[in-house]
């Protein structure tokens, strides 16, 4: 694995650092956010030009310094939305990871807070979504139209981010792979990966573990392709977002069956935090489709 892509030596020591390290996880997350931002901007411009979505009210300053409100394409909001997604995503992901590993956190809070790993996707999604919803509502743009444009790209960004998890070896892997069940047409690296040099420093079984990060990248990319092809659907605003939420829930619920994660007792069942959230997302997605599968 390649948790560190590049180390740039500094001419002088700065804040105790002798070099700047570029991590593979951070690099892939940057690519994921930039890709989602670019695609969302394209889609919002398309919806704006066709009259499907209205203009956004953005506060600006005139040359004299006075505040004024400009009516612009919602695509101009993407920069701020990306910042909210990055900050809210990282903070939310870390909070949910701490809640999921509370005992470990209490033993060494600082180590978990400032560790390179330990990011729970659903936590980041929930916190970032809250911030984005607030911002979109302030702009006067149709929330359902906006989430129709952004959510499919978030699914693709999620898949790209998982490649960062794979390269870093941050613990987002599956249970031990069974070599006796490996189909002949599947290569070894796609069936069982040992993640040498992983950022956690863990030694995995010789048979390897299921590289669930790769599986999620493939599934997310395919599902994004399906959603992108359905952008011109004839149904009400929010229909595409509902389908995306359903896809998110089903994808993660399936992956959780072969993924290593902490278990919790919920009504007598041993489940993971992600499984519980996935079920809620599936229910929300289905309800949304039932209500919104009607022509505009």
């Amino acid at each position: 694995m390649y948790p560190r892509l590049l180390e740039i030596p500094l001419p002088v020591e700065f804040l105790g650092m002798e070099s700047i390290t570029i991590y593979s996880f951070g690099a892939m997350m940057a690519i994921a956010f930039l890709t989602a931002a670019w695609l969302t901007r394209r889609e919002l411009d398309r919806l704006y030009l066709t009259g499907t979505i209205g203009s956004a009210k953005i506060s600006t300053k005139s040359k004299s310094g006075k505040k004024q409100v400009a009516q612009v394409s919602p695509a101009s909001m993407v920069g701020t939305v990306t910042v909210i997604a990055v900050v809210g995503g990282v903070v939310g992901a870390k909070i949910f990871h701490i809640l999921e590993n509370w005992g470990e956190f209490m033993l060494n809070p600082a180590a978990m807070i400032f560790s390179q790993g330990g990011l729970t996707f659903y936590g980041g999604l929930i916190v970032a979504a809250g911030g984005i919803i607030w911002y979109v509502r302030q702009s006067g743009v149709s929330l359902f139209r906006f989430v129709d444009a952004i959510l499919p790209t978030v699914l693709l960004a999620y898949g790209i981010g998982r490649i960062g998890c794979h390269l870093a070896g941050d613990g987002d892997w599956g249970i031990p792979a069974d070599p006796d069940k490996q189909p002949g047409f599947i290569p070894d690296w796609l069936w069982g990966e040992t993640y040498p040099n992983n950022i956690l420093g863990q030694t995995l079984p010789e048979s390897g573990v299921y590289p669930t990060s790769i599986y999620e990248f493939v599934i997310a990319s395919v599902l994004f392709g399906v959603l992108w092809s359905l952008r011109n659907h004839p149904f009400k605003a929010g229909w595409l977002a509902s389908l995306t939420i359903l896809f998110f829930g089903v994808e993660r619920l399936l992956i959780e069956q072969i993924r290593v994660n902490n278990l919790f007792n919920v009504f007598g069942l041993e489940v993971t935090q992600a499984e519980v959230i996935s079920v809620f997302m599936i229910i929300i997605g289905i309800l949304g489709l039932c209500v919104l599968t009607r022509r505009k």
Side-chain angles (χ1 to χ4, degrees):
M1 293 299 101
Y2 306 93
R4 298 169 181 82
L5 295 179
L6 183 65
E7 287 199 19
I8 305 173
L10 297 175
V12 294
E13 185 175 322
F14 179 70
L15 297 178
M17 298 186 301
E18 297 181 352
S19 63
I20 297 176
T21 303
I22 306 298
Y23 291 92
S24 54
F25 178 78
M28 293 308 301
M29 288 299 294
I31 293 173
F33 279 114
L34 291 173
T35 301
W38 177 67
L39 290 170
T40 301
R41 184 180 292 273
R42 280 188 56 189
E43 179 62 6
L44 286 172
D45 270 336
R46 184 186 72 86
L47 294 174
Y48 183 65
L49 291 174
T50 59
T52 306
I53 192 171
S55 58
K57 299 175 183 178
I58 304 296
S59 296
T60 60
K61 286 187 177 181
S62 63
K63 293 182 179 179
S64 61
K66 292 183 178 180
K67 288 186 178 181
Q68 58 185 17
V69 177
Q71 301 279 352
V72 295
S73 166
S76 62
M77 301 166 56
V78 171
T80 303
V81 167
T82 302
V83 173
I84 294 174
V86 172
V87 176
V90 172
V91 172
K94 183 63 72 172
I95 290 174
F96 271 64
H97 178 71
I98 290 173
L99 294 175
E100 191 176 26
N101 300 272
W102 186 254
E104 183 181 344
F105 170 73
M106 293 302 294
L107 292 175
N108 194 342
M112 182 170 288
I113 291 174
F114 297 106
S115 67
Q116 295 294 329
L119 294 176
T120 303
F121 169 74
Y122 275 154
L125 180 63
I126 292 171
V127 174
I132 292 172
I133 289 171
W134 175 84
Y135 174 65
V136 172
R137 291 181 67 87
Q138 295 298 310
S139 70
V141 174
S142 168
L143 179 60
F144 280 3
R145 291 293 180 195
F146 194 90
V147 295
D148 274 345
I150 194 173
L151 272 188
T153 70
V154 172
L155 180 57
L156 178 62
Y158 171 72
I160 295 174
R162 283 308 188 202
I163 294 298
C165 295
H166 178 72
L167 293 175
D170 63 357
D172 180 34
W173 50 59
I175 60 178
D178 187 346
D180 296 331
K181 296 181 179 180
Q182 180 179 352
F185 62 88
I186 296 182
D188 292 343
W189 61 270
L190 194 57
W191 183 259
E193 176 61 67
T194 57
Y195 289 95
N197 304 318
N198 66 79
I199 199 167
L200 300 180
Q202 294 185 11
T203 301
L204 301 180
E206 292 185 4
S207 60
V209 295
Y210 292 116
T212 51
S213 297
I214 296 181
Y215 302 162
E216 289 201 87
F217 167 71
V218 173
I219 296 172
S221 299
V222 172
L223 294 179
F224 168 76
V226 173
L227 294 166
W228 198 248
S229 68
L230 295 173
R231 288 176 298 155
N232 293 316
H233 65 86
F235 306 119
K236 288 187 174 183
W239 182 87
L240 193 63
S242 298
L243 183 60
T244 307
I245 292 172
L246 175 61
F247 280 175
F248 259 121
V250 171
E251 181 275 332
R252 188 56 184 270
L253 185 62
L254 292 175
I255 286 295
E256 284 296 298
Q257 308 313 305
I258 58 170
R259 187 172 179 268
V260 172
N261 230 326
N262 294 330
L263 296 174
F264 301 90
N265 189 289
V266 179
F267 301 118
L269 298 175
E270 294 292 326
V271 296
T272 68
Q273 181 189 84
E275 283 178 322
V276 174
I277 299 176
S278 294
V279 170
F280 277 107
M281 294 187 79
I282 291 172
I283 294 172
I284 293 171
I286 292 175
L287 291 175
L289 290 177
C290 291
V291 173
L292 300 170
T293 306
R294 300 175 184 176
R295 294 193 174 271
K296 302 169 187 175

